[in-house]
Amino acid sequence: MTTLITNIQQLIGTREEHTLLRGAALANLPSIENAFVLIEDGIIAEYGAMYELELKVPQLPKAIIDAAGQLVLPCWCDSHTHIVFAKSREEEFIDKIKGMSYADIAAKGGGILNSANKLNEISEEALFLHAWKRLEEVSQLGTGAIEIKSGYGLTVEGELKMLRVIKKLKAQSDLSIKATFLGAHTYPQAYKEDHQGYIDLIINEMLPVIAKEKLADYIDVFCETGFFSPHEMETICKAGMSYGLKPKLHVNQLNSIGGIEAAIKLNAISVDHLETMTETDITLLRQGGSPQMGELPRSSGQGEPLLRSDPPGLIGTLLPTAAFFLRMNYQPARILIDNNCAIALASDYNPGSSPSGNMNFVVALSCIQMKMLPEEAINAATINGAYAMELQHEVGSISIGKKANLIFTKPIPSLAYLPYAFGNNLIDKVMIKGQFL
Ligand code: NIG
Ligand code: FE
């Protein structure tokens, strides 16, 4: 099946060279005015300016779509979500408005443990249907690739149930999906005083089944005061890595406790959240993100080199809607960009800290509150998000050979209007693998 899209007012994110964007390069968002895209079997086969059409597409296909007045951009690549959950938690939202602290809520059995209780009560089928609905919802909002974590099971059965749901989502959806095992999201009640017992459960009972059934691509740990220490994170990640799972980690949300340094040692794909960043963390992220080896400082004390190997380097994934929802300081995006760190933007869609997977709002918030330029935000939410899921060869830009995952906007005056007119639905249609939703 061949489809030609013509008269596109502006075709955004056109690139044939692929690099993770950092520093000044993040503001470079190539585009073509008055453009066309040719799609063959769901894949971008050609694109260019309308004046090149005759030359580049000598034989016009039967299916031609006129996109006059529309901007077309690559679908969002949301590289950090928790969309498999049993129930929303708006009662905690009200409790917080009334003044309860996170600790008070946790003491009432709220938070992640609340979600874990609900998840362990629900059937795999029902869980799948809830997650499927969320996947449909975010795809209508322009998301074409997504990473999904476990972490609301916290029992062997619960974690496996979540990961099997994600595997089924992968099989049945046209979206590109990556699965992350986050058994180390918090210590379950039964192991509050027995951390080693839960770590053993992860390593001896969960990971072997996950590996055998090929249920995950990545391993994640919530490295935070009161949750998992950097040392515990290293132990868990090394076990996951022995089964081929690469680390993508929750660090520096509430405290800076050495998570980034540990992530660099583990050769992690990304460090996510980053609301709380010290100067040392920023330096480490910049150096850990550098594709060159041998430029790095040694880790404190141990004399062990901070290994960073293959390009593209460590990515800092910013989750501004979590900071927004929890009324926290935003991630220091401007400082990170100006320090040449590689950053991506993601939604963190989950029932506790970001009950929305709307990447259009993530992009708007990044511009409004973190002073990212519209071009920087769009790159961070597309091509750099693709890198944060190792999907840079199939999604994240308008490139020959990549999936035709495209957002068609309503008529808008310019690209900057997208984040500027925040909260308005400016998407006319979404195309996934060459098919309109
Ligand atoms: O990424 N911070 C840890 N995990 C989630 C929130 C979990 C929850 O409250 O349910 C996050 O923000
Ligand atoms: Fe998260």
Side-chain angles (χ1 to χ4, degrees):
M1 166 80 183
T2 305
T3 309
L4 178 68
I5 302 159
T6 57
N7 302 317
I8 301 165
Q9 184 180 307
Q10 200 180 353
L11 180 64
I12 291 152
T14 50
R15 34 179 109 242
E16 289 308 313
E17 256 183 45
H18 300 286
T19 43
L20 176 63
L21 302 173
R22 62 179 71 247
L26 191 64
N28 178 24
L29 181 62
S31 72
I32 301 173
E33 288 188 12
N34 197 18
F36 74 89
V37 179
L38 183 75
I39 299 162
E40 278 171 8
D41 300 325
I43 301 292
I44 298 169
E46 191 57 273
Y47 64 87
M50 281 304 286
Y51 68 78
E52 300 173 297
L53 181 62
E54 216 178 297
L55 187 77
K56 288 189 166 179
V57 188
Q59 196 113 41
L60 295 187
K62 281 205 192 87
I64 298 181
I65 296 163
D66 186 350
Q70 297 190 292
L71 271 57
V72 171
L73 57 153
C75 280
W76 308 124
C77 297
D78 189 354
S79 61
H80 180 135
T81 81
H82 311 244
I83 65 161
V84 179
F85 56 89
K87 209 178 160 294
S88 55
R89 302 204 317 249
E90 62 274 19
E91 57 301 329
E92 291 177 14
F93 169 65
I94 300 292
D95 286 342
K96 275 190 220 146
I97 291 174
K98 289 183 177 166
M100 270 176 93
S101 71
Y102 190 80
D104 299 334
I105 290 169
K108 267 192 18 178
I112 298 169
L113 292 176
N114 178 3
S115 285
N117 287 336
K118 300 278 169 7
L119 190 131
N120 280 291
E121 287 163 8
I122 192 178
S123 71
E124 191 174 312
E125 292 67 34
L127 194 60
F128 172 79
L129 290 176
H130 288 311
W132 181 260
K133 262 184 84 178
R134 290 181 199 114
L135 203 56
E136 281 194 323
E137 167 203 325
V138 297
S139 61
Q140 297 283 356
L141 293 166
T143 295
I146 190 165
E147 180 260 14
I148 310 172
K149 298 172 194 297
S150 71
Y152 289 126
L154 309 179
T155 57
V156 177
E157 306 71 39
E159 287 298 311
L160 293 176
K161 179 161 72 180
M162 287 188 82
L163 290 168
R164 287 178 185 134
V165 164
I166 303 172
K167 190 174 182 177
K168 212 158 130 194
L169 295 172
K170 276 191 188 189
Q172 298 193 20
S173 172
D174 277 333
L175 270 66
S176 301
I177 298 177
K178 288 284 179 112
T180 301
F181 170 51
L182 175 57
H185 200 180
T186 190
Y187 284 102
Q189 210 66 55
Y191 291 91
K192 271 280 173 259
E193 306 305 326
D194 179 17
H195 286 193
Q196 193 54 48
Y198 187 58
I199 293 173
D200 288 344
L201 194 74
I202 289 176
I203 295 176
N204 301 326
E205 309 290 331
M206 298 183 192
L207 278 171
V209 188
I210 292 166
K212 187 159 167 261
E213 292 185 31
K214 296 192 174 26
L215 294 176
D217 304 291
Y218 302 111
I219 183 154
D220 190 354
V221 174
F222 186 35
C223 180
E224 191 57 66
T225 309
F227 293 81
F228 292 81
S229 70
H231 179 70
E232 290 168 339
M233 175 168 86
E234 275 186 59
T235 307
I236 295 163
C237 285
K238 281 181 183 157
M241 288 160 79
S242 73
Y243 292 106
L245 308 184
K246 297 181 191 174
K248 272 173 74 68
L249 305 164
H250 278 77
V251 303
N252 291 54
Q253 181 182 13
L254 310 167
N255 298 283
S256 167
I257 57 168
I260 296 185
E261 188 175 351
I264 292 171
K265 273 201 247 171
L266 291 163
N267 215 4
I269 301 283
S270 68
V271 280
D272 304 16
H273 265 294
L274 311 188
E275 283 87 332
T276 310
M277 292 289 277
T278 64
E279 258 179 55
T280 310
D281 290 323
I282 293 165
T283 306
L284 282 170
L285 181 58
R286 177 181 66 229
Q287 291 172 330
S290 158
Q292 284 91 36
M293 282 179 77
E295 288 183 3
L296 294 166
R298 301 197 159 248
S299 65
S300 52
Q302 330 268 328
E304 208 184 335
L306 290 173
L307 282 182
R308 185 63 239 153
S309 60
D310 319 330
L314 182 64
I315 299 167
T317 300
L318 314 185
L319 312 169
T321 48
F324 168 75
F325 189 78
L326 298 178
R327 304 183 186 92
M328 290 180 62
N329 288 332
Y330 288 92
Q331 293 84 3
R334 203 60 270 151
I335 296 174
L336 297 178
I337 296 167
D338 295 344
N339 272 279
N340 219 33
C341 298
I343 61 166
L345 286 168
S347 76
D348 197 19
Y349 192 176
N350 78 78
S353 63
S354 179
S356 160
N358 188 342
M359 286 293 285
N360 306 284
F361 184 58
V362 171
V363 166
L365 202 54
S366 308
C367 298
I368 297 164
Q369 292 290 346
M370 304 199 300
K371 297 197 170 166
M372 289 177 72
L373 294 167
E375 292 81 1
E376 290 174 330
I378 289 169
N379 276 327
T382 55
I383 187 65
N384 277 12
Y387 271 96
M389 296 184 274
E390 298 179 291
L391 288 172
Q392 66 270 22
H393 302 296
E394 73 179 61
V395 290
S397 61
I398 308 295
S399 313
I400 292 173
K402 284 197 181 183
K403 288 185 182 170
N405 289 358
L406 308 173
I407 294 173
F408 290 66
T409 70
K410 291 179 181 165
I412 53 173
S414 71
L415 179 72
Y417 192 86
L418 279 179
Y420 159 81
F422 77 94
N424 291 319
N425 179 9
L426 300 172
I427 296 181
D428 176 44
K429 301 189 274 296
V430 176
M431 174 181 270
I432 301 288
K433 281 173 54 184
Q435 302 289 327
F436 284 119
L437 297 180

